Amino acid sequence: MKQTVAIIGAGETGAGWAARFRVMGWDVRLFDPDDMARGLVGAVLQQARRGLPGLSDVALPETGDMVFCQTISEAVDGAVWIQECLPERLELKRKVFQKIQEHCDRRAVIASSTGTFTLAELQGCATRPEQIIAAHAIAPIYLLPLVELAVNDVNSPEVTARAKEVLQGIGMAPVDQQGEERVSVALQNALQTEADRLIAEGMATADDISDVLRYGLGLRWAASGLDASQDAVLVAMLRALKAQDAGAGAVLNRFDATQAEPVLDIKQPLPTVTRTVPLDWTDYNGHMNEVRYLQAFGDATDRFMEIIGCDADYIASGGSYFTVETHIRHLDEVHAGARIRVETQCLLGEGKKMHLFHRMYEGDRLLATGEHMLIHVSLDTRRATVPADHIAARLGQIATAHAALDLPDGAGRAVGEDR
Amino acid sequence: MKQTVAIIGAGETGAGWAARFRVMGWDVRLFDPDDMARGLVGAVLQQARRGLPGLSDVALPETGDMVFCQTISEAVDGAVWIQECLPERLELKRKVFQKIQEHCDRRAVIASSTGTFTLAELQGCATRPEQIIAAHAIAPIYLLPLVELAVNDVNSPEVTARAKEVLQGIGMAPVDQQGEERVSVALQNALQTEADRLIAEGMATADDISDVLRYGLGLRWAASGLDASQDAVLVAMLRALKAQDAGAGAVLNRFDATQAEPVLDIKQPLPTVTRTVPLDWTDYNGHMNEVRYLQAFGDATDRFMEIIGCDADYIASGGSYFTVETHIRHLDEVHAGARIRVETQCLLGEGKKMHLFHRMYEGDRLLATGEHMLIHVSLDTRRATVPADHIAARLGQIATAHAALDLPDGAGRAVGEDR
């Protein structure tokens, strides 16, 4: 059965909590005296819907309902969790806690988002202080799992257990607050204070400081906190950033762009990929995962497209090739650190069609073949169209030259066919 | 032509620099009075060879040669870059700079790895101070691109330009040092000091602090320094960590494990994947990338394997299935945030063979099919063998039940065959 959360105060923090609870399947009741809050909540919810469910490799529950309420009493009606997200003014919070407790269920958990006040201060004037805890998260609350959880002797063990259960149930990782300070606030302030000092003393610009974090320190801290990081974890993060062309990943892309490309002889299969198998491409079987074979073949197809003129500029102008069919044969294993290369033979290149055959090698050892049918499309209509003349001409040249080559072993095969 | 670097002092720092230069194609000449250094250098080099080349999506130059030299004069002979990696003792460094300058090329760059001394201090007693700069990197030097570069008025513009060129040429991102302090050292000290205070005052344990960094702050700093992070970048990093089961990614995996699995009716195709398309699964064509279709089909295969008992424990005991052949038809597009599901039909399951057919849907819309032949193998011999009895039995049950289903449309197809 769906559970209900009340969010009191729908600024950035309230919107973030509302979005996380709702995407995780909770019904959400919001109260904010400012009608403008609706726009912000809608925008944050849209972000959360794009980002959060994809973090899971399983299906999340159906998204819950959301209601904007006119009063606090209406908002907390039926709520088993009440998240207070008001401005950091103690008297305001205390007044609202009293109001909440006039109307809410005695068994509900009331969690404050405060990054400033101690739990004892928050409980100070409450009717039932045992119901009040603090749960402090950082933006974007709908993506980052961190939540600092403060409970004390006034809370019952049931409230404490229930708080952890709810927070874990919405995908968060509660970190128990040991004292009165929020660790995230203290660390962030310490770093910001030092950054301000370095800037004031002319030791660094704000950009320099961001670079030092993005290219080095932040990666280590994200991978493993204050402990030494594992290479595979750093490599995986760096490669994720590379795919986004962000942070340290943008440095890697700039480096790649400086490396020389092989000379092309169009009478032979074209060298379209030469690379090393990354640490994060291996799987539980101890070898390169099947998905990464297709990733290398996909890169080979991208490179072939570039060679015939279907590059980033052309794609931006509205034309591209879509893969409609793929056949892969896995012939031999390969491991992290091995240098692999892909050679690409064009089996057909006329009209809307492009039929490619990739062979992947480590040295002379044939590891896999990939056969792909691609169709040229208009990115506006998403329908098949013929490519621009210069692309048709270049593709035609290569297809004609490759027609003189032998048909590769394995081309035209169906899965499970006798060899 | 290959260039030569001399590394003076082969502790952790020297070994890291040596490994990066060598993997990036430089010939390396090492000097360290301690013969034990060789073991460390060998170990670090092995790590670097596994991790660094895979960060590039293109081939790196051939790995350079490496020589351990008996004297500094031998080490710097022919070197165009000399990286000093000695213990942080100013008099020692100054003495060694004099020794280096007796023998090295006048045009070579001499870079100190110091995190402590100012450049003016290092240049103090040198014969040719204009040749000396500071280049400070953080571990693992062979993976992280950060390098803080200090030059001053004593250096010629040629030395400064050459320093940037060399550092970028080995894949690093030089951050110009504006004053006498190293920003990375200052920030790291500030964070460590605050962490020590929090621990001393009982506000947090060391583990709490690491959790706050791994689950929240570190991710933001790694993504974008002190600026606001983009969701797509955070999602990509979180998913990379998830694949490694590390940091915040381990939280996501624990959450997934708590979600209910669908009930199985083996008379019908089995539900093997239900998930949302993540933000980082889309590509330059604006839709889910072809590689991610196979990723979802690969996950479906993994789940099917689990259903028949080929789970993590069984794989640890030395048996598994390898995919030998794959055929994918892309029938329709799908975008980030969409909920997709895969249903799996077993076409054959006897002896060493397992022939699966996956259908991927968004709602009723068929997006793609994946046909896969898998062979059961021994992970010791890497050769085909029959599976354990309980797996053969469960697979047989499903195969028999599915034999009553229609052969799916598209099964047995070869690429480009007429429809």
Side-chain angles (χ1 to χ4, degrees), chain A residues 81-387:
Chain A
W81 187 277
I82 297 155
Q83 186 76 32
E84 171 270 304
C85 310
L86 297 167
E88 293 284 35
R89 301 206 310 268
L90 185 58
E91 286 317 306
L92 171 68
K93 286 178 195 272
R94 285 178 163 178
K95 228 168 73 183
V96 170
F97 286 142
Q98 288 173 348
K99 184 84 184 162
I100 289 170
Q101 293 196 320
E102 280 172 31
H103 300 279
C104 76
D105 190 311
R106 302 176 72 91
R107 290 156 304 180
V109 177
I110 304 173
S112 172
S113 302
T114 188
T116 309
F117 304 112
T118 68
L119 181 52
E121 286 171 329
L122 296 168
Q123 292 166 333
C125 307
T127 322
R128 296 183 298 277
E130 65 274 16
Q131 201 172 9
I132 298 174
I133 64 164
H136 176 256
I138 69 171
I141 292 174
Y142 54 85
L143 288 182
L144 295 176
L146 175 64
V147 58
E148 287 165 279
L149 178 63
V151 293
N152 62 16
D153 293 346
V154 175
N155 302 119
S156 67
E158 290 74 32
V159 164
T160 305
R162 176 85 182 120
K164 286 202 180 171
E165 187 195 325
V166 166
L167 293 169
Q168 285 169 347
I170 57 170
M172 302 185 97
V175 176
D176 290 328
Q177 207 175 293
Q178 313 283 345
E180 293 178 355
E181 282 189 74
R182 270 134 215 108
V183 173
S184 68
V185 175
L187 295 179
Q188 195 158 16
N189 285 346
L191 199 83
Q192 188 66 56
T193 302
E194 184 66 358
D196 292 344
R197 182 190 70 77
L198 288 165
I199 294 168
E201 294 183 8
M203 296 293 167
T205 66
D207 283 349
D208 292 339
I209 290 168
S210 283
D211 287 349
V212 166
L213 293 170
R214 296 185 303 153
Y215 302 160
L217 293 183
L219 290 161
R220 293 209 310 211
W221 290 331
S224 51
L226 297 176
D227 305 323
S229 318
Q230 285 179 1
D231 284 5
V233 177
L234 288 174
V235 165
M237 288 176 62
L238 285 165
R239 291 197 52 83
L241 288 164
K242 192 167 197 262
Q244 301 295 321
D245 200 28
V251 174
L252 300 176
N253 284 331
R254 286 199 296 273
F255 173 79
D256 280 5
T258 64
Q259 300 301 296
E261 278 166 6
V263 182
L264 297 177
D265 166 12
I266 70 163
K267 295 204 194 83
Q268 296 300 319
L270 303 177
T272 44
V273 165
T274 315
R275 63 160 310 127
T276 302
V277 177
L279 267 184
D280 63 330
W281 280 24
T282 55
D283 67 14
Y284 55 81
N285 283 324
H287 57 203
M288 187 162 98
N289 180 267
E290 57 175 316
V291 176
R292 304 307 189 164
Y293 282 84
L294 182 54
Q295 185 163 345
F297 287 143
D299 290 346
T301 298
D302 286 351
R303 174 68 187 131
F304 188 88
M305 282 164 60
E306 234 176 65
I307 291 170
I308 62 168
C310 185
D311 53 16
D313 286 345
Y314 181 76
I315 292 167
S317 81
S320 190
Y321 280 92
F322 285 0
T323 304
V324 292
E325 201 168 1
T326 287
H327 179 262
I328 300 170
R329 294 182 307 152
H330 295 276
L331 305 170
D332 210 340
E333 300 180 78
V334 67
H335 298 93
R339 186 182 284 219
I340 56 174
R341 70 176 198 285
V342 177
E343 294 177 358
T344 301
Q345 181 170 342
C346 181
L347 301 184
L348 177 79
E350 59 182 41
K352 303 165 186 169
K353 286 189 178 177
M354 181 161 80
H355 189 170
L356 301 180
F357 194 89
H358 304 302
R359 288 183 188 87
M360 184 190 297
Y361 296 92
E362 183 194 8
D364 292 336
R365 205 160 57 91
L366 183 62
L367 303 173
T369 66
E371 183 179 0
H372 306 265
M373 182 65 77
L374 293 102
I375 300 291
H376 187 273
V377 296
S378 152
L379 291 174
D380 297 326
T381 64
R382 317 301 278 189
R383 292 183 179 282
T385 55
V386 291

Side-chain angles (χ1 to χ4, degrees), chain B residues 14-319:
Chain B
W17 279 105
R20 179 177 276 274
F21 269 107
R22 190 173 176 199
V23 172
M24 286 291 182
W26 287 57
D27 287 334
V28 176
R29 303 175 74 83
L30 278 147
F31 170 78
D32 195 295
D34 183 352
D35 274 348
M36 301 291 286
R38 292 189 186 215
L40 176 65
V41 170
V44 171
L45 186 67
Q46 205 175 350
Q47 300 261 92
R49 275 186 159 151
R50 277 173 58 82
L52 177 55
L55 292 182
S56 281
D57 294 314
V58 296
L60 298 184
E62 292 293 326
T63 300
D65 293 327
M66 191 162 77
V67 182
F68 284 87
C69 302
Q70 294 303 318
T71 60
I72 288 179
S73 65
E74 189 191 338
V76 303
D77 180 38
V80 300
W81 188 278
I82 298 154
Q83 186 76 34
E84 171 270 305
C85 309
L86 296 167
E88 293 283 34
R89 301 207 308 270
L90 186 58
E91 285 319 305
L92 171 67
K93 285 178 194 271
R94 283 178 165 178
K95 228 168 74 183
V96 170
F97 285 142
Q98 286 173 349
K99 185 85 184 162
I100 289 170
Q101 293 197 320
E102 280 172 32
H103 298 281
C104 76
D105 191 311
R106 304 177 70 91
R107 288 155 307 178
V109 176
I110 304 173
S112 172
S113 302
T114 187
T116 309
F117 304 112
T118 67
L119 181 52
E121 285 171 329
L122 297 166
Q123 292 167 333
C125 306
T127 321
R128 294 183 300 275
E130 65 274 16
Q131 201 172 9
I132 299 175
I133 63 164
H136 175 257
I138 68 172
I141 292 174
Y142 54 85
L143 288 182
L144 295 175
L146 176 63
V147 58
E148 288 166 279
L149 177 62
V151 293
N152 62 15
D153 293 348
V154 174
N155 301 120
S156 67
E158 290 73 33
V159 165
T160 305
R162 177 82 182 123
K164 287 203 178 171
E165 184 195 329
V166 167
L167 294 168
Q168 285 170 347
I170 58 170
M172 302 185 97
V175 176
D176 289 328
Q177 207 177 293
Q178 313 283 343
E180 291 178 356
E181 283 189 74
R182 269 133 216 109
V183 173
S184 68
V185 175
L187 295 179
Q188 196 157 14
N189 286 346
L191 198 84
Q192 189 66 55
T193 302
E194 184 66 357
D196 292 343
R197 182 190 71 77
L198 288 165
I199 294 168
E201 295 184 9
M203 295 295 166
T205 66
D207 283 348
D208 292 340
I209 290 168
S210 283
D211 287 350
V212 166
L213 293 170
R214 295 184 303 151
Y215 300 160
L217 293 182
L219 290 162
R220 291 210 310 211
W221 291 332
S224 52
L226 297 177
D227 305 322
S229 318
Q230 285 179 0
D231 284 4
V233 177
L234 289 175
V235 165
M237 287 176 62
L238 284 164
R239 291 196 53 82
L241 288 164
K242 192 166 198 266
Q244 300 295 320
D245 200 29
V251 174
L252 300 176
N253 283 332
R254 285 198 297 273
F255 173 80
D256 281 5
T258 64
Q259 300 302 295
E261 277 166 7
V263 182
L264 296 178
D265 167 12
I266 71 163
K267 296 204 193 82
Q268 296 301 320
L270 302 177
T272 42
V273 165
T274 317
R275 65 161 306 129
T276 302
V277 177
L279 267 184
D280 63 330
W281 279 24
T282 55
D283 67 12
Y284 56 80
N285 283 325
H287 57 204
M288 186 162 97
N289 182 268
E290 59 176 314
V291 176
R292 304 306 187 164
Y293 283 84
L294 182 55
Q295 186 162 344
F297 287 143
D299 290 345
T301 298
D302 286 350
R303 174 70 188 130
F304 187 88
M305 282 165 60
E306 234 176 64
I307 291 169
I308 61 169
C310 185
D311 53 16
D313 285 346
Y314 180 77
I315 292 168
S317 82

